[in-house]
Amino acid sequence: MLAIIPTRASVGLAAPEVVVEVHLSNGLPGLAIVGLPEAAVKESRERVRSALINAGFEFPAKRITLNLAPADLPKEGGRFDLPIALGILVASGQIPQEAIGNLECLGELALDGQLRAVTGVLPAALAVTDAGRQLLLPAANADEAALAGNLEVLPVSNLLEVVAHLTGERRIAPHQLTEPPAATLAAADLCDVRGQHQARRALEVAAAGGHNLLFAGPPGTGKTMLASRLAGILPPLTESECLEVAAIRSVCGLDILERWGQRPFRAPHHGASPAALVGGGSRPRPGEISLAHQGVLFLDELPEFDRKVLEAMREPLESGRVHIARASHQREYPARFQLVAAMNPCPCGHLGDPRQQCSCTPNQIQRYQARLSGPLLDRIDLQIEVPALPADQLTANTQGESSDIVRERVMAARKIQYARGGLNAHLSTSELEAACALGEDERSWLSGVLARLNLSARAYHRVLKVARTIADLNGEGRVEKSALMEAIGYRQLDRMMGRGVQ
C-alpha cells in the first residue's frame, strides 16, 4: 500500500512543499525514513509509533518506508510527525486516501497523541494559501495561521480529532480570528524626553529619511531613552510589512502578536556573536538585524561590540539583505533596518562632561575611539553629541512634542520621498544627483566644507541625503544652503573624536 500526504518544510522564510510518501511491504517489521531527514525527523519514528498506539490505532507490523520528497531538501524539526502518522494510517487502510483530499497538515506529536505547536507556521500558511488548499495543524498555532488571510484553517488538539474529521465522524469548523490582531506592548512616547532639542530633531530627521543614527555623550544623558523612541515616530507597518515581520518572528519561535503593527525594536547585548547579530549557525537562523527588519536595531555601548561583529553589518546596511552561505545550503533573509547606536566618548565616559572630570589618558581615548572603523562610521548618516542636561531643564515640568505629532511630519516627508521613488537613505547615486541638484553657491560652499572635514565620497553622499530629508521636512522643493548646514552639523562625531576641523 502507498499513501501520499502533502506538508511544508521550513527553509529560511520559505515553506517549500514536501510530499510524505509511505509504503508498506512484507518483511521484517521496521520503519526507515529517507529524504535527507535530520535528527529530529529521524526521532519521529518513536513519537509516531507511541502516539498511534496510545490513541488506539494499529501500528502495522510490516516493513514501512517513508520518503520525504524532494530528496535533496534538508528536513528538520517535529513538524513532519502528523503527516507521517496520517501516511501510516492511510497506507494501512485505517483511513481512505480520498479523505485527505485538498489538505495539507503539519504538527508535532506527543507520545499520547496530543499535538504540540511548531515554529514557522505563518510562512507555511501563506504558501498553503497560494496553493489553494486547507491547512490542518495544532490548535495552538491556529491564530497565527489565520493571519494568512483567505485560508481555511483546521485546528486540532490530538490525533483522534484528526481521524474523526477525516472520516466524517466529527467535522472540524474552520478557525476564525475572534478579533483583529493588536500589539500587546505600548510604544514609548517622545514626550517623555526632557530637553535635548538637537537630538530630538536628529531623531525626527532619521525617521523621515530612514537614516542611521549615532548618539555620543556621557552616561545618563538620555541616549538610550532617545533611541527607544525612534520606533514610535516611524509610520505604522502596512499589512504586507506586518506579515513579513511576523514571518521572521514565527521562524524564530517568537510571539508574533507582541508588537503586531508596530515597528520592531531590537537591542542586543554587546557580547552578541556574529551569528546572533547577523544570522547563521549550524542550522542558519535569522539574526538580530533580520528581527529588526522594517524597524530599529539599537546597539548600546557601540565600541564594546566585537569589531568583527560590527564589520559584518556593513554589507546588510547597504543592501538591506543578509546572505548566509554554508557548504550544504544557503539562506537569505531580509534586513532593511535603521541602525541607532549609542556610545560614550571615552572608556570612563566623562570626556567633555562638565559634571565630572575625565580620568582617561590620551592613548586610552584614542584606542577606545579607534574600535569603530571609518567605513562603519561613514554608513551612519547622523552622528550627534548628547550633552549632560542643565539642572533647570532636567527638573522642568514641561513636555516636548508627542510621538503622534512628530510622526505626522515624518509621514508627510516620506510621502514626498515615495513620490520620487523611495526613501532618501536608499537613493542610488544617479537618483541622489537628480533629487539634490545644488545651485552654484551651495555647491561651492559644500566643496569647501567637505575639504576641511576631510570626508569620504560616501560621507559626502550621506550629507546630501540628510540635506534632502531636511528639505522634505521643511516642505522645500530644492536643497538650500540652510539644509546643507544642518546636515553638516549632524557630523559632530568627526569633531568630537578629533577628525574634523580644529
Side-chain angles (χ1 to χ4, degrees):
M1 292 289 292
L2 178 67
I4 297 175
I5 310 293
T7 184
R8 295 280 163 177
S10 179
V11 181
L13 297 185
E17 182 178 2
V18 172
V19 176
V20 178
E21 300 173 333
V22 183
H23 180 249
L24 270 60
S25 61
N26 294 326
L28 291 175
L31 192 155
I33 303 178
V34 297
L36 215 57
E38 297 193 0
V41 182
K42 292 179 181 178
E43 293 169 354
S44 68
R45 71 183 74 183
E46 304 304 329
R47 292 193 297 270
V48 170
R49 184 195 310 271
S50 297
L52 287 174
I53 293 173
N54 289 325
F57 299 103
E58 177 190 353
F59 189 84
K62 292 190 175 185
R63 180 177 178 82
I64 304 173
T65 303
L66 293 173
N67 179 38
L68 308 180
D72 59 346
L73 179 70
K75 322 298 188 307
E76 61 181 33
R79 62 197 301 119
F80 299 103
D81 288 3
L82 180 57
I84 288 174
L86 290 183
I88 293 174
L89 291 175
V90 171
S92 61
Q94 300 177 69
I95 298 176
Q97 177 71 59
E98 299 76 25
I100 301 302
N102 194 33
L103 183 72
E104 294 191 22
C105 62
L106 52 88
E108 179 181 334
L109 282 171
L111 298 186
D112 61 355
Q114 297 295 312
L115 278 169
R116 292 185 173 133
V118 295
T119 60
V121 165
L122 184 55
L126 293 170
V128 174
T129 302
D130 294 338
R133 295 172 176 167
Q134 299 172 313
L135 180 60
L136 190 147
L137 79 174
N141 291 126
D143 283 348
E144 179 178 341
L147 295 173
N150 189 24
L151 173 65
E152 191 169 332
V153 178
L154 303 176
V156 288
S157 299
N158 54 63
L159 198 54
L160 287 173
E161 288 185 9
V162 176
V163 175
H165 172 78
L166 294 177
T167 58
E169 182 180 330
R170 188 170 62 255
R171 306 295 290 183
I172 298 170
H175 179 76
Q176 299 290 336
L177 288 174
T178 55
E179 57 185 23
T184 58
L185 294 179
D189 200 295
L190 192 59
C191 68
D192 299 330
V193 178
R194 298 285 190 272
Q196 303 297 3
H197 302 295
Q198 186 184 35
R200 287 172 59 102
R201 169 67 172 176
L203 207 63
E204 181 177 341
V205 172
H211 304 287
N212 301 320
L213 175 64
L214 172 62
F215 290 127
T221 56
K223 303 186 294 294
T224 300
M225 189 177 190
L226 284 160
S228 65
R229 267 65 182 169
L230 177 57
I233 62 175
L234 293 173
L237 293 170
T238 64
E239 183 177 353
S240 62
E241 289 172 342
C242 282
L243 289 175
E244 191 175 22
V245 170
I248 299 172
R249 294 182 64 87
S250 175
V251 168
C252 294
L254 301 176
D255 183 2
I256 65 174
L257 297 179
E258 186 178 73
R259 298 183 65 92
W260 179 265
Q262 297 177 352
R263 299 279 173 172
F265 181 83
R266 304 293 299 181
H269 187 265
H270 57 74
S273 66
L277 192 68
V278 179
S282 57
R283 296 180 180 178
R285 290 168 56 87
E288 290 290 338
I289 64 173
S290 294
L291 286 167
H293 179 61
Q294 300 292 358
V296 176
L297 177 69
F298 176 49
L299 301 184
D300 200 4
E301 305 295 345
L302 186 64
E304 301 297 336
F305 281 82
D306 187 274
R307 183 151 183 166
K308 290 182 180 179
V309 174
L310 296 179
E311 297 305 307
M313 288 197 309
R314 283 163 48 181
E315 183 180 349
L317 278 171
E318 295 284 349
S319 65
R321 303 195 70 81
V322 57
H323 187 78
I324 301 170
R326 295 292 181 267
S328 58
H329 44 256
Q330 300 182 0
R331 300 285 186 272
E332 187 174 78
Y333 299 110
R336 178 63 71 190
F337 62 94
Q338 276 187 257
L339 173 63
V340 181
M343 63 174 288
N344 296 326
C346 65
C348 78
H350 296 288
L351 180 65
D353 187 355
R355 303 168 303 175
Q356 186 171 337
Q357 186 175 358
C358 175
S359 60
C360 304
T361 66
N363 284 339
Q364 288 175 325
I365 296 173
Q366 184 179 13
R367 285 196 302 269
Y368 181 79
Q369 296 177 351
R371 294 179 185 177
L372 304 180
S373 69
L376 177 64
L377 288 175
D378 275 351
R379 288 171 168 81
I380 301 179
D381 305 351
L382 297 95
Q383 304 167 7
I384 305 299
E385 183 177 3
V386 183
L389 282 177
D392 58 339
Q393 289 189 28
L394 189 62
T395 59
N397 191 23
T398 57
Q399 284 189 330
E401 289 182 312
S402 68
S403 293
D404 292 338
I405 296 175
V406 177
R407 190 189 307 115
E408 291 298 323
R409 294 198 295 266
V410 167
M411 293 175 66
R414 287 197 170 204
K415 184 177 181 180
I416 296 172
Q417 295 168 55
Y418 287 133
R420 280 198 301 265
L423 292 180
N424 292 331
H426 308 152
L427 293 177
S428 65
T429 303
S430 58
E431 292 170 337
L432 182 62
E433 291 294 336
C436 298
L438 301 179
E440 190 59 37
D441 290 344
E442 289 85 358
R443 192 176 296 276
S444 175
W445 178 84
L446 183 58
S447 176
V449 172
L450 294 177
R452 291 198 302 275
L453 290 177
N454 196 27
L455 297 181
S456 66
R458 181 185 286 112
Y460 160 67
H461 287 133
R462 300 281 177 174
V463 168
L464 282 183
K465 291 177 181 179
V466 172
R468 179 65 266 178
T469 299
I470 294 169
D472 292 337
L473 279 170
N474 296 338
E476 299 168 350
R478 63 187 300 271
V479 177
E480 305 286 349
K481 185 177 178 180
S482 58
L484 291 171
M485 293 176 67
E486 184 177 350
I488 289 291
Y490 293 137
R491 307 292 301 191
Q492 294 178 4
L493 200 62
D494 294 312
R495 295 191 294 274
M496 192 181 76
M497 298 177 74
R499 290 193 294 269
V501 181
Q502 303 297 321

